[in-house]
Amino acid sequence: MPKPVRLFISSAPEDAALRAEVEVHLRPIERSGLIEVWHDDRIAAGGEPAAEARAQIEAAEVVVLLVSPAFLASDRHFDEEAARALARRAAGEVVVVPVPVRPCDWGWTEFGKLAPLPEGGRPVEGWPVRGEAWTEVVRGLRAVVERVMSRRAAPGGRSALAAGLPPAELCIGRGLEVEAIVAALVGKPPGRVLLLGAAGVGKSTISLAVLHRPEVVARFGERRFFARLDAAPDAESAAVALAGALRIASGPDLWQQAMSFLAAGPAVLVLDNLETPWDGDDQPGTEALLAELAAVPDLSLVASVRGAGRPGRVTWNSPIELRPLRRPEAEAVFCAIAGEEHRSKPALSALLSLMEGIPLAIALLAHATHGNDLINLKDEWEARRTAVLERDGGARNRLRSWKASLDLSIGSPRMTAGARRLLSVLAMLPDGIAQRDLAVLLPGIGPAAARALAQVGLAYFEGGRLKMLSPVREYVAAEYPPVVEDLGRAMEHYGELTCTLGPVPGSRGGTEAAARLAPETANLDSVIRRGLTEVEPGRWIDTATALTNFARFSGHAASLPLGRALEVAQRTGDGRREALCAQSLGDVALARSQHDEARARYEEALPLYRQVGSVRGEADCIRRLGEIARAHGNASAARARYEEALALYQRIPEPCSIGRTHHHLAAVAPDAVTQHQHVEAARSAWQRIDRIDLIARLDQDFPS
C-alpha cells in the first residue's frame, strides 16, 4: 500500500465550522489510506501552532486554502501559510488548491491565478445545497491526489516523492563538492558534512543533487530526507520541521517518534539553513538536538549554514566552503537556463561580471532573458539593478528572489546593530574596506562588526580588506542606506585621504602615497561622485582635482571623477573650478601622451583662468602647451610658450615654476650660451627655496 498523500488544510479560525464540514467529506478517502489530513485542530496539547504548521506545509503534497474574508485578513494564514505553499508550488513540490468558502474579492492574490474548487469559484456558502458544493470539492481533490500518486509512480519519481524530497535542481560546476559529500555519506562511519557559504552560493542545490545521486539512492532508498529550517527560529521549531520532513504525524511524543524512526535503519538527513535555529535565542538547544542526531548509529547528516559558523557538539567532516563559480561554469549555468544562443556574446560577459559567480543571481538573471534581449536586459539592470533578480511569485521565496535570499541573511540574529551599520557603509565602497580603516569608519565596533558580517556570509576578508560581492552590494546600497553619521564619517575619511595623499605622487613620498591610494581607487571615485551631488559641491570638485597627480604618476584611472566634477562646476557657474578641472584632465592626458586631448583641455582652461584672474593657472596651461609642442619636435613653438609662461610666473612670483620653466627653456635653447643662462637661472630659483631634488635633476640633465 503506497504512503498516503499529505493534505494540508489552511483556514482562518473564523471558518472552523466550514473546515469541519470539508473534513467530514474527506474522511472516507482518508480512511481508505489515500490521504492523511492535517489542520490546526490536529496540534497535540502543548504543541506550538505556528511551528507545527510550518513543518506540515513543508511535508505536504497538496495544500487546500479555504478562502474567505477572515483568511485574507489573517497574517498567519495569508501572509505565511499561503505564501509558503505558493513558493513550494513554484518549485514543483506541492499542488495548491484554493477553495472559496465565503464571498470575498480574492482574484488579485497570487493564488487567484489558480483553478479553484468547486469549478467556477462559486463560494461554498453560496450554494443552495452546501453538500453538493463539498461533493464537487472532494471529487476534485480526489483527482488531484490521484495525479500526485501517478507522479510518484513515474520512473525515478517514486522514491523521491515518497520521501517528500524536492526535485533536484540545476547543479553545474560543483562536481568535486558533490563527489566529496557522496563519498562521506555512503562510507563508514556515517558522514557528518557541513556546507558553508554565502547567500545564493548553491548550498541547497548541492544538497539536493547529493540526495538524488544514484549511489545515495542505492544506499538509503526512500530514507532520504530534506528538512527546510529557514522558518524554524529555535530548537523546538526545528524538531517539528524535522518530524514533518520525516512524515511523522503530530503528537505529544513527536521528537521521540522521529528519533526512533531514524534509528530504524540507514538514513540520510539534510538540515537546510541550519543557521536559522542555531542563530536564534536557543543555540544550546539546537546544538543538543544536533548531538542527538549525531548519536544515531546509521544516520548520515548534511547541514548547510550561511556564512562561516560551525555548530558545536558534532564532529563534522572537514567543512566544505563554497566559493563563487568561475566564469566558464557561470556561463554554463546561464546558458542552460536562457539558451545556448547567448554563449560567448559580449553582452553576456558584461552581465556575468556583475553577478561575480553567485549561482542564484546568475540563474535569476538567466530567467529574466526569457522573452527578452541581452542588450535590453543590460539596460534593465542599469535601471533596476537587483530588482531584476526575481522570478514570478518569488517575493517570499529565497530560491526565486535575490531580495528574499539576502534578507534572510540580513535578518540573522548574528547580525549585530554594528554589523548592520557596517553593512550599509561597505555597500557604498566597491573596493571594500582596508582592515586598518574599520576602526576609523566605525569607532569602537568596526572589527567586531566586520567579523559578524563575515560569519553570516554577507562579506569576506581578502588581502587585508573586508569585501562584498557585487550583487550583494547593489541590493544593500538600494535597500539599506547608511545612517547620516556613518555616511558623513566615511565621506570625511576618504575625502581627507584623497586631499592629503592625492597630490603627493611625483614628489618625495609619492611611491608610498600611491601604494596607499591604489587599492581605494573605486572607493574614492564613489565617494567623490556622491559628494558632487551635494548642494554645495565645491569641496568635492577640489577633492576630485586632488587626484590629478595620483592619476598622472600611478597609471590608475583615478581621473574618472574629474569629468563629472567638470560638469558640476559648469552647471554651478564656478569658473575657477571649471578651469582647474579642465587643466587636470589635460595633465592626465598629457601624462598618457594623449596630446590632442591634452591640448584641447588646456585651451579650454586658458580663457577661464584669464576670466577669473588666475595668473598661476594661465601660466601652467601655457607651459604645458609648450611641453606638447616640444614633444612634437617644434622647438621654436615650445620656446615661445615657455617664455610666455615665464613672464607670468615672474609676476606672481612663483620660484618653483620659474625654475621649472627655465629648465624647459634650457632644453630648447638655440645655443650653448642661452642654455647656460637658463640652467643658472633655474639653479638660482630653486636654491632660494631649497629644492635640492630639482637641482639634482638639473645637474643630471645638464652635467656640464
Side-chain angles (χ1 to χ4, degrees):
M1 183 70 182
K3 291 183 179 179
V5 171
R6 297 287 285 273
L7 190 145
F8 180 101
I9 300 177
S10 179
S11 63
E14 294 86 343
D15 301 320
L18 288 164
R19 192 208 60 232
E21 289 181 23
V22 70
E23 188 179 10
V24 168
H25 284 266
L26 287 171
R27 194 157 294 145
I29 306 177
E30 187 174 19
R31 192 166 53 241
S32 71
L34 288 178
I35 62 173
E36 183 179 289
V37 177
W38 192 93
H39 51 72
D40 284 355
D41 279 0
R42 298 202 175 185
I43 299 173
E48 202 279 295
E52 290 210 23
R54 285 193 293 266
Q56 293 295 335
I57 286 179
E58 297 300 329
E61 293 167 278
V62 178
V63 174
V64 177
L65 309 177
L66 299 189
V67 184
S68 71
F71 183 87
L72 297 178
S74 169
D75 290 343
R76 178 183 153 196
H77 297 91
F78 178 74
D79 285 342
E80 295 181 18
E81 293 182 1
R84 182 58 194 149
L86 289 167
R88 290 195 63 221
R89 176 187 180 275
E93 300 171 6
V94 71
V95 179
V96 179
V97 182
V99 176
V101 293
R102 301 186 196 274
C104 60
D105 178 19
W106 62 285
W108 55 272
T109 66
E110 283 297 318
F111 52 80
K113 304 172 185 177
L114 306 180
L117 289 174
E119 291 184 9
R122 183 179 182 182
V124 170
E125 200 177 51
W127 283 57
V129 180
R130 192 177 295 178
E132 293 181 0
W134 288 127
T135 299
E136 290 295 319
V137 169
V138 171
R139 183 180 293 120
L141 289 177
R142 186 182 188 103
V144 169
V145 168
E146 288 172 352
R147 287 201 301 272
V148 172
M149 290 282 197
S150 297
R151 188 176 65 172
R152 282 183 182 177
R158 173 179 168 74
S159 62
L161 287 167
L165 284 182
E169 301 170 356
L170 181 68
C171 186
I172 292 175
R174 301 301 196 190
L176 293 177
E177 292 88 347
V178 170
E179 293 292 343
I181 299 171
V182 168
L185 297 184
V186 301
K188 290 287 187 179
R192 306 282 187 260
V193 180
L194 193 60
L195 266 177
L196 305 175
V201 79
K203 298 180 294 297
S204 301
T205 298
I206 289 176
S207 298
L208 287 170
V210 166
L211 289 181
H212 287 274
R213 277 290 293 263
E215 307 97 301
V216 177
V217 175
R219 168 87 169 116
F220 301 106
E222 294 185 6
R223 290 175 61 80
R224 293 170 290 131
F225 306 104
F226 186 87
R228 298 187 190 275
L229 303 182
D230 52 352
D234 50 39
E236 181 180 356
S237 300
V240 173
L242 174 58
L246 301 179
R247 306 174 66 81
I248 294 173
S250 177
D253 56 349
L254 192 64
W255 181 244
Q256 289 75 16
Q257 290 187 60
M259 293 301 292
S260 297
F261 177 82
L262 290 172
V268 58
L269 171 65
V270 170
L271 302 173
D272 194 46
N273 285 98
L274 175 61
E275 77 281 349
T276 303
W278 185 61
D279 282 347
D281 296 332
D282 188 23
Q283 188 175 97
T286 301
E287 292 192 346
L289 181 148
L290 287 172
E292 287 192 61
L293 291 172
V296 176
D298 288 324
L299 176 63
S300 291
L301 281 176
V302 179
S304 67
V305 175
R306 289 188 175 209
R310 302 186 183 187
R313 302 194 63 180
V314 176
T315 302
W316 301 103
N317 297 66
S318 295
I320 295 176
E321 298 187 34
L322 298 180
R323 304 296 182 189
L325 297 173
R326 297 175 302 168
R327 178 55 65 86
E329 287 79 13
E331 186 173 42
V333 170
F334 186 94
C335 292
I337 297 170
E340 284 295 322
E341 65 272 18
H342 301 298
R343 189 179 292 276
S344 300
K345 289 188 176 180
L348 176 58
S349 179
L351 283 166
L352 288 179
S353 68
L354 298 169
M355 301 302 105
E356 290 205 56
I358 300 298
L360 177 60
I362 296 165
L364 292 172
L365 186 74
H367 283 289
T369 63
H370 294 165
N372 204 350
D373 174 81
L374 286 183
I375 302 298
N376 188 67
L377 181 58
K378 181 68 164 56
D379 293 341
E380 188 178 359
W381 172 271
E382 293 298 331
R384 301 177 60 219
R385 315 305 281 187
T386 55
V388 173
L389 305 180
E390 184 166 308
R391 296 177 63 187
D392 291 342
R396 298 171 185 271
N397 184 344
R398 64 180 175 83
L399 300 179
R400 298 174 68 86
S401 164
W402 187 239
K403 168 181 166 56
S405 181
L406 286 186
D407 281 346
L408 187 64
S409 292
I410 294 170
S412 166
R414 280 185 287 175
M415 284 287 287
T416 62
R420 289 185 172 85
R421 288 170 58 190
L422 182 58
L423 179 78
S424 298
V425 173
L426 186 59
M428 62 179 278
L429 301 168
D431 282 327
I433 299 174
Q435 287 179 251
R436 73 173 105 175
D437 292 336
L438 288 169
V440 177
L441 297 178
L442 260 72
I445 60 173
R451 173 168 52 84
L453 286 183
Q455 286 180 338
V456 83
L458 289 168
Y460 60 98
F461 291 104
E462 181 179 273
R465 303 183 71 83
L466 182 70
K467 295 185 176 183
M468 182 184 287
L469 292 169
S470 176
V472 180
R473 189 176 66 250
E474 293 283 358
Y475 174 71
V476 174
E479 299 293 329
Y480 298 92
V483 298
V484 174
E485 178 187 359
D486 295 341
L487 173 61
R489 192 182 296 109
M491 298 286 285
E492 286 296 324
H493 172 68
Y494 289 103
E496 182 180 353
L497 194 68
T498 301
C499 293
T500 302
L501 299 180
V504 177
S507 60
R508 187 179 297 128
T511 302
E512 294 78 8
R516 176 71 172 96
L517 291 177
E520 308 289 351
T521 303
N523 289 348
L524 304 181
D525 185 69
S526 174
V527 166
I528 292 170
R529 287 176 184 274
R530 184 185 287 262
L532 291 171
T533 65
E534 293 181 357
V535 177
E536 298 291 338
R539 170 197 171 187
W540 293 101
I541 297 175
D542 294 340
T543 306
T545 59
L547 282 173
T548 304
N549 277 358
F550 173 62
R552 288 174 62 198
F553 293 102
S554 71
H556 281 79
S559 61
L560 288 176
L562 280 171
R564 179 58 183 154
L566 175 61
E567 294 172 5
V568 173
Q570 291 169 336
R571 177 174 53 80
T572 57
D574 192 333
R576 183 184 67 82
R577 289 189 169 101
E578 182 182 349
L580 185 59
C581 289
Q583 180 194 336
S584 294
L585 286 166
D587 289 347
V588 174
L590 181 59
R592 297 172 182 172
S593 299
Q594 298 167 348
H595 293 152
D596 290 342
E597 168 70 11
R599 183 185 300 109
R601 291 299 187 182
Y602 294 137
E603 290 173 348
E604 178 184 356
L606 265 175
L608 293 168
Y609 277 133
R610 288 167 178 156
Q611 181 179 338
V612 299
S614 174
V615 176
R616 167 68 185 270
E618 181 184 356
D620 283 345
C621 288
I622 292 171
R623 179 165 59 85
R624 285 170 171 77
L625 286 170
E627 292 177 26
I628 295 173
R630 179 184 167 194
H632 285 264
N634 193 339
S636 60
R639 188 162 53 250
R641 289 293 194 180
Y642 291 146
E643 289 171 349
E644 184 182 359
L646 180 61
L648 292 170
Y649 285 132
Q650 288 170 335
R651 283 170 51 189
I652 305 176
E654 218 297 314
C656 185
S657 296
I658 289 172
R660 197 182 302 274
T661 309
H662 276 299
H663 191 166
H664 290 324
L665 280 166
V668 293
D671 54 61
V673 173
T674 306
Q675 183 183 78
H676 178 72
Q677 291 172 344
H678 284 302
V679 168
E680 290 307 310
R683 188 187 311 278
S684 175
W686 285 335
Q687 282 175 340
R688 290 199 299 271
I689 56 174
D690 197 29
R691 287 301 301 269
I692 299 173
D693 57 326
L694 295 178
I695 294 173
R697 186 180 302 171
L698 182 69
D699 291 339
Q700 180 180 357
D701 290 346
F702 304 98
S704 59

